């Protein structure tokens, strides 16, 4: 619930995927769907959709929120997920692509997407662009706040350390409730855009568009974010 309060409400992002799904009607799949923030937004607006994630507690909360919506939430690893269902569109968001930290992981994810798309199906995701972000090491600094389920304002701060050889950023996040603190750690790979294009082409995807943000501003080399929309060849 606190995850949703901290990271939810990105309507512009949900609308981007909703409009993409409407242009490619059929059954949609979100990989690494988490608590279903994007999945349920689309489902509530009539899109036939399923979600896959490896973290069962997040899926359990997604199912509670789904109520009577006809959404399937499936516990599985996006690298090894297998289904007989074929989808008109598959997407990841929340920079989830960057959670796949090795060449093998990225290739397995792309293989899953390719295998489960209908011919001509769409694959879409976003990631942070290494050429548009500061990858230098940073000591702990204030990142923001959110209000939790009990109405408490939680202060969020963090630090970052970048492993340039492996292209992996290590973030440490501290959440301070006043009476207690929690610490979490996450690692994300920063793949450069040229390498990404080669990965997609090698897997059989045709890159249709790349955007700098959710309003479909064209991507520039210095854009902090790159949103890729690909088609199965």
């Amino acid at each position: 619930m606190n995850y949703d309060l901290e990271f939810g409400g990105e309507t512009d992002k949900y609308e981007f995927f909703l409009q993409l799904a409407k242009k490619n009607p059929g059954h949609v799949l979100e990989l690494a769907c988490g608590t279903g923030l994007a999945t349920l937004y689309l489902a509530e607006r009539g899109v036939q959709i399923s979600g896959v994630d490896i973290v069962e507690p997040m899926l359990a909360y997604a199912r509670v929120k789904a109520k009577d919506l006809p959404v399937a939430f499936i516990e599985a690893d996006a690298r090894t997920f297998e289904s007989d269902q074929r989808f008109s569109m598959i997407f990841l968001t929340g920079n989830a692509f960057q959670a796949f930290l090795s060449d093998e992981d990225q290739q397995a994810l792309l293989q899953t997407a390719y295998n489960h798309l209908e011919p001509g199906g769409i694959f879409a995701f976003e990631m942070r662009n290494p050429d548009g972000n500061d990858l230098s090491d940073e000591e702990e600094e204030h990142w923001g706040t959110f209000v939790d389920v009990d109405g408490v304002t939680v202060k969020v701060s963090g630090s970052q350390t970048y492993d340039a050889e492996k292209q992996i950023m290590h973030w440490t996040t501290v959440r301070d409730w006043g009476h207690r603190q929690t610490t979490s750690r996450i690692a994300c790979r920063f793949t450069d855009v040229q390498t990404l294009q080669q990965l997609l082409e090698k897997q059989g995807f045709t890159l249709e568009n790349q955007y700098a943000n959710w309003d479909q501003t064209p991507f520039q080399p210095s854009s902090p974010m790159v949103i890729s929309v690909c088609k199965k060849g």
Side-chain angles (χ1 to χ4, degrees), residues 120-201:
I122 294 296
F123 178 51
F125 61 99
E126 90 277 15
M127 69 175 196
R128 302 172 187 87
N129 174 24
D131 291 331
N133 285 270
D134 182 2
L135 302 181
S136 58
D137 293 355
E138 294 180 359
E139 298 295 325
E140 185 176 335
E141 62 181 11
H142 179 69
W143 284 352
T145 62
F146 71 95
V147 179
D148 77 355
V149 291
D150 298 316
V152 176
T153 298
V154 182
K155 297 177 182 178
V156 182
S157 59
S159 59
Q160 66 180 43
T161 305
Y162 188 60
D163 183 336
E165 182 178 351
K166 295 181 179 179
Q167 300 175 299
I168 294 176
M169 178 68 78
H170 298 272
W171 280 294
T172 299
T173 305
V174 177
R175 295 174 176 85
D176 186 352
W177 274 260
H179 62 286
R180 69 182 180 97
Q181 286 187 347
T182 62
T183 301
S184 61
R185 292 174 175 82
I186 189 171
C188 284
R189 189 177 190 187
F190 276 74
T191 304
D192 65 86
V193 173
Q194 183 177 0
T195 299
L196 176 67
Q197 292 176 349
Q198 292 170 352
L199 280 169
L200 292 167
E201 290 170 3

Coordinates of all heavy atoms in Angstrom, one line a residue, residues 120-201:
G120 N 3.6 -9.1 -35.6 CA 3.3 -7.7 -35.7 C 2.9 -7.0 -34.4 O 2.6 -5.8 -34.4
G121 N 3.1 -7.8 -33.3 CA 2.7 -7.3 -32.0 C 3.7 -6.2 -31.5 O 4.8 -6.1 -32.0
I122 N 3.3 -5.4 -30.5 CA 4.1 -4.3 -30.1 C 4.7 -4.6 -28.7 O 4.1 -5.1 -27.8 CB 3.2 -3.0 -29.9 CG1 2.7 -2.6 -31.3 CG2 3.9 -1.9 -29.2 CD1 3.8 -2.1 -32.2
F123 N 6.0 -4.2 -28.6 CA 6.7 -4.3 -27.3 C 7.2 -2.9 -26.9 O 7.9 -2.2 -27.7 CB 7.9 -5.3 -27.5 CG 8.8 -5.4 -26.2 CD1 8.2 -5.7 -25.0 CD2 10.2 -5.3 -26.3 CE1 9.0 -5.8 -23.9 CE2 11.0 -5.4 -25.2 CZ 10.4 -5.7 -24.0
A124 N 6.9 -2.5 -25.7 CA 7.2 -1.1 -25.3 C 7.8 -1.1 -23.9 O 7.3 -1.8 -23.0 CB 6.0 -0.2 -25.4
F125 N 8.7 -0.2 -23.7 CA 9.3 0.0 -22.3 C 10.1 1.2 -22.3 O 10.5 1.8 -23.3 CB 10.2 -1.2 -22.0 CG 11.4 -1.4 -22.9 CD1 12.6 -0.9 -22.6 CD2 11.2 -2.0 -24.1 CE1 13.7 -1.1 -23.4 CE2 12.3 -2.2 -25.0 CZ 13.6 -1.7 -24.6
E126 N 10.4 1.7 -21.1 CA 11.3 2.9 -20.9 C 12.5 2.5 -20.1 O 12.5 1.5 -19.3 CB 10.5 4.0 -20.3 CG 10.5 4.2 -18.8 CD 9.4 3.3 -18.2 OE1 8.9 2.4 -18.8 OE2 9.2 3.5 -17.0
M127 N 13.5 3.3 -20.2 CA 14.7 3.2 -19.3 C 15.4 4.5 -19.2 O 15.1 5.4 -20.1 CB 15.7 2.1 -19.9 CG 16.4 2.5 -21.1 SD 17.7 1.3 -21.7 CE 18.6 2.3 -22.9
R128 N 16.2 4.7 -18.2 CA 17.0 5.9 -18.1 C 18.2 5.9 -19.1 O 18.8 4.8 -19.3 CB 17.6 6.0 -16.7 CG 16.5 6.0 -15.6 CD 17.2 6.0 -14.2 NE 16.2 5.8 -13.1 CZ 15.8 4.6 -12.7 NH1 16.2 3.5 -13.2 NH2 15.0 4.6 -11.6
N129 N 18.4 7.0 -19.7 CA 19.5 7.1 -20.8 C 20.8 7.4 -20.1 O 20.9 8.5 -19.4 CB 19.1 8.2 -21.8 CG 20.2 8.5 -22.8 OD1 21.0 7.6 -23.0 ND2 20.2 9.7 -23.3
P130 N 21.8 6.6 -20.1 CA 23.1 6.9 -19.5 C 23.7 8.3 -19.9 O 24.3 8.9 -19.1 CB 24.0 5.7 -19.8 CG 23.4 5.1 -21.0 CD 21.9 5.3 -20.8
D131 N 23.5 8.7 -21.2 CA 24.0 9.9 -21.6 C 23.2 11.1 -21.2 O 23.6 12.3 -21.4 CB 24.1 9.9 -23.2 CG 25.2 8.9 -23.7 OD1 26.1 8.7 -22.9 OD2 25.0 8.4 -24.8
G132 N 22.1 10.9 -20.5 CA 21.3 12.0 -20.1 C 21.1 12.1 -18.6 O 20.3 12.8 -18.0
N133 N 21.9 11.2 -17.9 CA 21.9 11.2 -16.4 C 23.2 11.3 -15.8 O 24.2 10.9 -16.4 CB 21.2 9.9 -16.0 CG 19.7 9.8 -16.2 OD1 19.0 10.2 -15.3 ND2 19.3 9.4 -17.3
D134 N 23.3 11.8 -14.6 CA 24.5 12.0 -13.8 C 24.8 10.6 -13.1 O 24.1 10.3 -12.2 CB 24.4 13.1 -12.8 CG 25.7 13.3 -12.0 OD1 26.7 12.6 -12.3 OD2 25.7 14.2 -11.1
L135 N 25.8 9.9 -13.6 CA 26.1 8.6 -13.0 C 27.3 8.7 -12.0 O 27.8 7.6 -11.6 CB 26.5 7.7 -14.2 CG 25.5 7.5 -15.3 CD1 26.0 6.5 -16.3 CD2 24.1 7.0 -14.7
S136 N 27.6 9.9 -11.6 CA 28.7 10.0 -10.6 C 28.2 9.5 -9.2 O 27.0 9.5 -8.9 CB 29.2 11.4 -10.5 OG 28.1 12.3 -10.2
D137 N 29.2 9.0 -8.4 CA 28.8 8.6 -7.0 C 28.3 9.8 -6.2 O 28.8 11.0 -6.4 CB 30.0 8.0 -6.3 CG 30.5 6.7 -6.9 OD1 29.8 6.2 -7.9 OD2 31.6 6.2 -6.5
E138 N 27.3 9.6 -5.4 CA 26.7 10.7 -4.6 C 26.5 10.2 -3.2 O 26.0 9.1 -3.0 CB 25.4 11.2 -5.2 CG 25.5 11.8 -6.6 CD 24.2 12.3 -7.1 OE1 23.2 12.1 -6.5 OE2 24.2 12.9 -8.3
E139 N 26.8 11.1 -2.2 CA 26.5 10.8 -0.8 C 25.0 10.9 -0.6 O 24.3 11.4 -1.5 CB 27.3 11.7 0.1 CG 28.8 11.6 0.0 CD 29.3 10.3 0.4 OE1 28.7 9.7 1.4 OE2 30.3 9.7 -0.1
E140 N 24.5 10.5 0.5 CA 23.1 10.5 0.8 C 22.6 12.0 0.8 O 23.2 12.9 1.3 CB 22.8 10.0 2.2 CG 21.3 9.9 2.5 CD 21.0 9.2 3.9 OE1 21.9 8.4 4.3 OE2 20.0 9.5 4.4
E141 N 21.5 12.1 0.0 CA 20.8 13.4 -0.1 C 19.3 13.2 -0.1 O 18.8 12.1 -0.3 CB 21.2 14.2 -1.3 CG 20.9 13.4 -2.6 CD 21.4 14.2 -3.9 OE1 22.2 15.1 -3.7 OE2 21.0 13.8 -5.0
H142 N 18.6 14.3 0.2 CA 17.1 14.3 0.3 C 16.5 14.1 -1.1 O 16.9 14.8 -2.0 CB 16.6 15.5 0.9 CG 15.1 15.6 1.0 ND1 14.3 14.8 1.9 CD2 14.2 16.4 0.4 CE1 13.1 15.0 1.7 NE2 12.9 16.0 0.8
W143 N 15.6 13.1 -1.3 CA 15.0 12.8 -2.6 C 13.5 13.3 -2.6 O 13.0 13.5 -3.7 CB 15.1 11.3 -2.9 CG 16.4 10.9 -3.3 CD1 17.5 11.7 -3.6 CD2 16.9 9.5 -3.5 NE1 18.6 10.9 -4.0 CE2 18.2 9.6 -3.9 CE3 16.2 8.3 -3.4 CZ2 19.0 8.5 -4.2 CZ3 17.0 7.2 -3.7 CH2 18.3 7.2 -4.1
G144 N 12.8 13.4 -1.5 CA 11.4 13.7 -1.5 C 10.7 13.2 -0.3 O 11.3 12.7 0.6
T145 N 9.4 13.3 -0.4 CA 8.5 12.8 0.7 C 7.3 12.1 0.1 O 6.9 12.3 -1.1 CB 8.0 13.9 1.6 OG1 7.2 14.8 0.9 CG2 9.2 14.6 2.3
F146 N 6.6 11.3 0.9 CA 5.3 10.8 0.5 C 4.5 10.6 1.8 O 5.1 10.5 2.9 CB 5.3 9.5 -0.3 CG 5.7 8.3 0.5 CD1 4.8 7.4 1.0 CD2 7.1 8.0 0.6 CE1 5.2 6.3 1.7 CE2 7.5 6.8 1.3 CZ 6.6 6.0 1.9
V147 N 3.2 10.5 1.7 CA 2.3 10.3 2.9 C 1.9 8.9 2.9 O 1.3 8.4 2.0 CB 1.1 11.3 2.9 CG1 0.2 11.0 4.1 CG2 1.6 12.7 2.9
D148 N 2.1 8.2 4.0 CA 1.9 6.7 4.1 C 0.4 6.5 4.4 O -0.4 7.4 4.6 CB 2.8 6.0 5.0 CG 2.5 6.2 6.5 OD1 1.6 7.0 6.8 OD2 3.2 5.6 7.3
V149 N 0.1 5.2 4.6 CA -1.3 4.8 4.8 C -1.9 5.3 6.1 O -3.1 5.4 6.3 CB -1.5 3.3 4.8 CG1 -1.3 2.7 3.4 CG2 -0.6 2.6 5.8
D150 N -1.0 5.6 7.1 CA -1.5 6.2 8.3 C -1.4 7.7 8.4 O -1.6 8.3 9.5 CB -0.6 5.6 9.5 CG -0.7 4.1 9.6 OD1 -1.8 3.6 9.5 OD2 0.4 3.4 9.7
G151 N -1.2 8.3 7.2 CA -1.1 9.8 7.2 C 0.2 10.4 7.6 O 0.3 11.6 7.8
V152 N 1.2 9.6 7.8 CA 2.5 10.1 8.2 C 3.3 10.5 7.0 O 3.4 9.8 6.0 CB 3.3 9.0 9.0 CG1 4.7 9.4 9.4 CG2 2.5 8.6 10.3
T153 N 4.0 11.6 7.1 CA 4.8 12.1 6.0 C 6.2 11.4 6.2 O 6.9 11.6 7.2 CB 5.0 13.6 6.1 OG1 3.7 14.2 5.9 CG2 6.0 14.1 5.0
V154 N 6.6 10.7 5.2 CA 7.8 9.9 5.2 C 8.9 10.7 4.3 O 8.6 11.0 3.2 CB 7.6 8.5 4.6 CG1 8.9 7.7 4.7 CG2 6.5 7.8 5.4
K155 N 10.0 10.9 4.9 CA 11.1 11.5 4.2 C 11.9 10.5 3.5 O 12.3 9.5 4.1 CB 12.0 12.3 5.2 CG 11.3 13.5 5.9 CD 12.2 14.2 6.9 CE 11.5 15.3 7.6 NZ 12.4 15.9 8.7
V156 N 12.2 10.7 2.2 CA 13.0 9.7 1.4 C 14.3 10.4 1.0 O 14.3 11.5 0.5 CB 12.2 9.3 0.2 CG1 13.0 8.3 -0.6 CG2 10.8 8.8 0.6
S157 N 15.4 9.7 1.3 CA 16.7 10.1 0.9 C 17.5 8.9 0.4 O 17.1 7.8 0.5 CB 17.5 10.7 2.1 OG 17.6 9.8 3.2
G158 N 18.6 9.2 -0.2 CA 19.4 8.1 -0.8 C 20.8 8.5 -1.3 O 21.1 9.7 -1.4
S159 N 21.5 7.5 -1.6 CA 22.9 7.7 -2.2 C 23.0 6.8 -3.4 O 22.2 5.8 -3.6 CB 23.9 7.4 -1.2 OG 23.8 6.0 -0.7
Q160 N 24.0 7.0 -4.2 CA 24.3 6.2 -5.4 C 25.7 5.9 -5.6 O 26.6 6.8 -5.4 CB 23.6 6.8 -6.7 CG 24.2 8.1 -7.1 CD 23.6 8.6 -8.4 OE1 22.3 8.6 -8.5 NE2 24.4 9.1 -9.3
T161 N 26.0 4.7 -6.1 CA 27.4 4.3 -6.5 C 27.3 3.6 -7.8 O 26.6 2.6 -8.0 CB 28.0 3.4 -5.4 OG1 27.9 4.0 -4.1 CG2 29.4 3.1 -5.7
Y162 N 28.2 4.0 -8.8 CA 28.1 3.5 -10.1 C 29.3 2.6 -10.4 O 30.5 3.0 -10.2 CB 28.0 4.6 -11.1 CG 27.8 4.1 -12.5 CD1 26.6 3.4 -12.9 CD2 28.7 4.4 -13.6 CE1 26.4 3.0 -14.1 CE2 28.4 4.0 -14.9 CZ 27.3 3.3 -15.1 OH 27.0 2.8 -16.4
D163 N 29.0 1.4 -10.9 CA 30.1 0.5 -11.3 C 30.2 0.6 -12.9 O 29.3 0.0 -13.6 CB 29.7 -1.0 -11.0 CG 30.7 -2.0 -11.3 OD1 31.5 -1.7 -12.3 OD2 30.8 -3.1 -10.7
A164 N 31.1 1.4 -13.3 CA 31.2 1.7 -14.8 C 31.5 0.5 -15.6 O 31.0 0.4 -16.7 CB 32.2 2.8 -15.0
E165 N 32.3 -0.4 -15.1 CA 32.7 -1.6 -15.8 C 31.4 -2.5 -16.2 O 31.3 -3.0 -17.3 CB 33.7 -2.4 -15.0 CG 34.2 -3.7 -15.8 CD 35.2 -4.5 -15.0 OE1 35.7 -3.9 -14.0 OE2 35.5 -5.6 -15.4
K166 N 30.5 -2.6 -15.2 CA 29.4 -3.4 -15.4 C 28.1 -2.6 -15.8 O 27.1 -3.2 -16.1 CB 29.0 -4.2 -14.1 CG 30.1 -5.2 -13.7 CD 29.8 -6.0 -12.5 CE 30.8 -7.0 -12.1 NZ 30.5 -7.7 -10.9
Q167 N 28.3 -1.3 -15.8 CA 27.2 -0.4 -16.2 C 26.0 -0.5 -15.2 O 24.9 -0.3 -15.6 CB 26.7 -0.6 -17.6 CG 27.7 -0.5 -18.7 CD 27.1 -0.8 -20.0 OE1 26.7 -2.0 -20.3 NE2 27.1 0.1 -21.0
I168 N 26.4 -0.7 -13.9 CA 25.3 -0.9 -12.9 C 25.4 0.2 -11.9 O 26.4 0.4 -11.3 CB 25.4 -2.3 -12.3 CG1 25.1 -3.4 -13.3 CG2 24.5 -2.5 -11.1 CD1 25.3 -4.8 -12.9
M169 N 24.2 0.8 -11.6 CA 24.1 1.8 -10.6 C 23.5 1.1 -9.3 O 22.5 0.4 -9.4 CB 23.2 2.9 -11.0 CG 22.9 4.0 -9.9 SD 24.4 4.9 -9.6 CE 24.4 6.1 -11.0
H170 N 24.1 1.4 -8.2 CA 23.6 0.8 -6.9 C 23.0 2.0 -6.1 O 23.8 2.9 -5.8 CB 24.8 0.2 -6.1 CG 25.3 -1.0 -6.8 ND1 24.8 -2.3 -6.7 CD2 26.4 -1.2 -7.7 CE1 25.5 -3.2 -7.4 NE2 26.4 -2.5 -8.1
W171 N 21.8 1.9 -5.9 CA 21.1 3.0 -5.1 C 20.8 2.4 -3.7 O 20.3 1.3 -3.6 CB 19.8 3.4 -5.7 CG 19.9 4.4 -6.8 CD1 20.4 5.7 -6.7 CD2 19.6 4.2 -8.2 NE1 20.4 6.3 -7.9 CE2 19.9 5.4 -8.9 CE3 19.1 3.1 -8.9 CZ2 19.7 5.6 -10.2 CZ3 18.9 3.3 -10.3 CH2 19.2 4.5 -10.9
T172 N 21.0 3.2 -2.7 CA 20.5 2.9 -1.3 C 19.5 3.9 -0.9 O 19.8 5.2 -1.0 CB 21.7 2.9 -0.3 OG1 22.7 1.9 -0.7 CG2 21.2 2.6 1.1
T173 N 18.3 3.5 -0.6 CA 17.2 4.4 -0.2 C 16.9 4.3 1.3 O 16.7 3.2 1.8 CB 16.0 4.1 -1.1 OG1 16.3 4.1 -2.5 CG2 14.9 5.1 -0.8
V174 N 16.8 5.4 1.9 CA 16.4 5.5 3.3 C 15.1 6.2 3.5 O 14.9 7.3 2.9 CB 17.5 6.2 4.2 CG1 17.0 6.3 5.6 CG2 18.8 5.5 4.1
R175 N 14.1 5.5 4.1 CA 12.8 6.1 4.4 C 12.7 6.3 5.9 O 12.8 5.4 6.7 CB 11.7 5.2 3.8 CG 11.7 5.1 2.3 CD 10.7 4.1 1.8 NE 10.7 4.0 0.3 CZ 11.6 3.3 -0.4 NH1 12.5 2.5 0.2 NH2 11.6 3.4 -1.7
D176 N 12.4 7.6 6.2 CA 12.4 8.0 7.6 C 11.0 8.4 8.1 O 10.5 9.4 7.6 CB 13.4 9.2 7.8 CG 13.6 9.6 9.2 OD1 12.8 9.1 10.1 OD2 14.4 10.4 9.5
W177 N 10.4 7.6 9.0 CA 9.1 7.9 9.5 C 9.2 8.8 10.8 O 8.2 9.1 11.4 CB 8.4 6.6 9.9 CG 7.7 5.9 8.8 CD1 6.3 5.9 8.6 CD2 8.2 5.1 7.8 NE1 6.0 5.2 7.5 CE2 7.2 4.7 6.9 CE3 9.5 4.6 7.5 CZ2 7.3 3.8 5.8 CZ3 9.7 3.8 6.4 CH2 8.6 3.4 5.6
G178 N 10.4 9.1 11.2 CA 10.5 9.9 12.4 C 10.8 9.0 13.6 O 11.9 9.1 14.3
H179 N 10.0 8.0 13.8 CA 10.2 7.0 14.9 C 10.9 5.8 14.4 O 11.3 5.0 15.3 CB 8.8 6.7 15.5 CG 7.9 6.0 14.6 ND1 7.2 6.6 13.6 CD2 7.5 4.7 14.5 CE1 6.5 5.8 12.9 NE2 6.7 4.5 13.4
R180 N 11.1 5.6 13.1 CA 11.8 4.5 12.6 C 12.3 4.8 11.2 O 11.8 5.7 10.5 CB 10.9 3.2 12.6 CG 9.8 3.3 11.5 CD 8.9 2.0 11.6 NE 7.8 2.0 10.7 CZ 7.9 1.4 9.5 NH1 8.9 0.8 9.1 NH2 6.8 1.5 8.6
Q181 N 13.3 4.0 10.8 CA 13.8 4.1 9.4 C 13.9 2.7 8.8 O 14.1 1.7 9.4 CB 15.3 4.7 9.4 CG 15.3 6.2 9.7 CD 16.8 6.7 9.6 OE1 17.7 5.9 9.5 NE2 16.9 8.0 9.5
T182 N 13.8 2.7 7.4 CA 14.0 1.5 6.7 C 15.1 1.8 5.6 O 15.2 3.0 5.1 CB 12.8 1.0 6.0 OG1 12.3 2.0 5.1 CG2 11.7 0.7 7.0
T183 N 15.8 0.8 5.2 CA 16.8 1.0 4.2 C 16.6 -0.1 3.1 O 16.4 -1.3 3.5 CB 18.3 0.8 4.8 OG1 18.5 1.8 5.8 CG2 19.3 1.0 3.7
S184 N 16.6 0.3 1.9 CA 16.5 -0.7 0.8 C 17.6 -0.4 -0.3 O 18.1 0.7 -0.4 CB 15.1 -0.6 0.1 OG 14.9 0.7 -0.4
R185 N 17.9 -1.4 -1.0 CA 19.0 -1.3 -2.0 C 18.5 -1.9 -3.3 O 17.8 -2.9 -3.3 CB 20.2 -2.1 -1.5 CG 20.9 -1.4 -0.3 CD 22.1 -2.2 0.2 NE 22.7 -1.5 1.3 CZ 22.3 -1.5 2.6 NH1 21.2 -2.1 2.9 NH2 23.0 -0.8 3.5
I186 N 18.8 -1.2 -4.4 CA 18.4 -1.6 -5.7 C 19.6 -1.4 -6.7 O 20.4 -0.5 -6.5 CB 17.2 -0.9 -6.2 CG1 16.6 -1.5 -7.5 CG2 17.5 0.6 -6.3 CD1 15.3 -0.9 -7.9
A187 N 19.7 -2.3 -7.7 CA 20.7 -2.2 -8.7 C 20.0 -2.1 -10.0 O 19.0 -2.8 -10.3 CB 21.6 -3.4 -8.7
C188 N 20.5 -1.2 -10.9 CA 19.9 -1.0 -12.2 C 21.0 -0.8 -13.3 O 22.0 -0.1 -13.0 CB 19.0 0.3 -12.3 SG 17.4 0.1 -11.5
R189 N 20.9 -1.5 -14.4 CA 21.9 -1.4 -15.4 C 21.5 -0.3 -16.4 O 20.4 -0.1 -16.8 CB 21.9 -2.7 -16.2 CG 23.1 -2.8 -17.2 CD 23.2 -4.1 -17.9 NE 24.4 -4.3 -18.6 CZ 24.7 -5.3 -19.4 NH1 23.8 -6.3 -19.6 NH2 25.8 -5.3 -20.1
F190 N 22.6 0.5 -16.7 CA 22.4 1.6 -17.7 C 22.9 1.2 -19.0 O 24.1 1.3 -19.3 CB 23.1 2.8 -17.1 CG 22.3 3.6 -16.2 CD1 22.1 3.2 -14.9 CD2 21.7 4.8 -16.5 CE1 21.4 3.9 -13.9 CE2 20.9 5.6 -15.6 CZ 20.8 5.1 -14.3
T191 N 22.1 0.7 -19.9 CA 22.4 0.3 -21.2 C 22.4 1.5 -22.2 O 21.4 2.2 -22.1 CB 21.5 -0.8 -21.7 OG1 21.5 -1.9 -20.8 CG2 21.9 -1.3 -23.1
D192 N 23.4 1.7 -22.9 CA 23.4 2.8 -23.9 C 22.5 2.6 -25.0 O 22.2 1.4 -25.3 CB 24.8 3.2 -24.4 CG 25.4 2.1 -25.2 OD1 25.1 2.0 -26.4 OD2 26.1 1.2 -24.7
V193 N 22.0 3.6 -25.6 CA 20.9 3.5 -26.6 C 21.3 2.7 -27.8 O 20.6 1.9 -28.4 CB 20.4 4.9 -27.0 CG1 19.4 4.8 -28.2 CG2 19.8 5.6 -25.8
Q194 N 22.6 2.9 -28.3 CA 23.1 2.1 -29.4 C 23.1 0.6 -29.2 O 22.6 -0.2 -30.0 CB 24.5 2.6 -29.8 CG 25.0 1.9 -31.1 CD 26.3 2.5 -31.5 OE1 26.9 3.4 -30.9 NE2 26.9 1.9 -32.6
T195 N 23.6 0.3 -28.0 CA 23.6 -1.2 -27.6 C 22.2 -1.7 -27.5 O 21.9 -2.8 -27.9 CB 24.3 -1.4 -26.3 OG1 25.7 -0.9 -26.4 CG2 24.3 -2.8 -25.9
L196 N 21.3 -0.9 -27.0 CA 19.9 -1.3 -26.9 C 19.3 -1.6 -28.2 O 18.6 -2.6 -28.4 CB 19.1 -0.2 -26.2 CG 17.6 -0.5 -26.1 CD1 17.3 -1.6 -25.1 CD2 16.8 0.8 -25.6
Q197 N 19.5 -0.7 -29.2 CA 19.0 -1.0 -30.5 C 19.5 -2.2 -31.1 O 18.8 -3.0 -31.8 CB 19.3 0.3 -31.4 CG 18.6 1.5 -31.0 CD 19.0 2.7 -31.8 OE1 20.0 2.7 -32.6 NE2 18.3 3.8 -31.6
Q198 N 20.8 -2.5 -30.9 CA 21.4 -3.7 -31.4 C 20.8 -5.0 -30.8 O 20.5 -6.0 -31.4 CB 22.9 -3.7 -31.1 CG 23.7 -2.7 -32.0 CD 25.1 -2.5 -31.5 OE1 25.5 -3.1 -30.5 NE2 25.9 -1.7 -32.3
L199 N 20.5 -4.9 -29.5 CA 19.8 -6.0 -28.8 C 18.5 -6.3 -29.3 O 18.1 -7.4 -29.6 CB 19.7 -5.7 -27.3 CG 20.9 -5.8 -26.4 CD1 20.6 -5.2 -25.0 CD2 21.2 -7.3 -26.2
L200 N 17.7 -5.2 -29.6 CA 16.4 -5.4 -30.1 C 16.4 -5.9 -31.5 O 15.6 -6.8 -31.8 CB 15.7 -4.0 -30.1 CG 15.3 -3.4 -28.7 CD1 14.9 -2.0 -28.8 CD2 14.2 -4.2 -28.0
E201 N 17.3 -5.4 -32.3 CA 17.3 -5.9 -33.7 C 17.8 -7.4 -33.8 O 17.3 -8.2 -34.5 CB 18.3 -5.1 -34.5 CG 17.7 -3.7 -34.8 CD 18.8 -2.7 -35.4 OE1 19.9 -3.2 -35.6 OE2 18.5 -1.5 -35.5

